[in-house]
Amino acid sequence: MEDKRNFGKYIAEKRKEKGLTQEELANKLYVIPTTISKWERGMLLCK
């Protein structure tokens, strides 16, 4: 579980460094903005 949180913090940190919103990052990755939010909160869907 801790790995998911660390990954989420990493994504949020890098996204903010680039000056991107969650929506902008989602568009670049071809996912919906809700997915980025879930990733950043450590709610990854992969097992």
Side-chain angles (χ1 to χ4, degrees), residues 23-38:
E23 185 171 359
E24 291 168 332
L25 179 59
N27 288 334
K28 289 179 180 289
L29 297 176
Y30 302 100
V31 297
I32 60 174
T34 310
T35 302
I36 302 299
S37 176
K38 287 181 179 181

Side-chain angles (χ1 to χ4, degrees), residues 7-34:
F7 181 69
K9 287 179 185 178
Y10 177 79
I11 290 174
E13 181 182 306
K14 294 300 178 184
R15 174 181 62 78
K16 291 173 186 176
E17 283 178 8
K18 299 289 184 183
L20 296 172
T21 64
Q22 288 181 340
E23 185 171 359
E24 291 168 332
L25 179 59
N27 288 334
K28 289 179 180 289
L29 297 176
Y30 302 100
V31 297
I32 60 174
T34 310

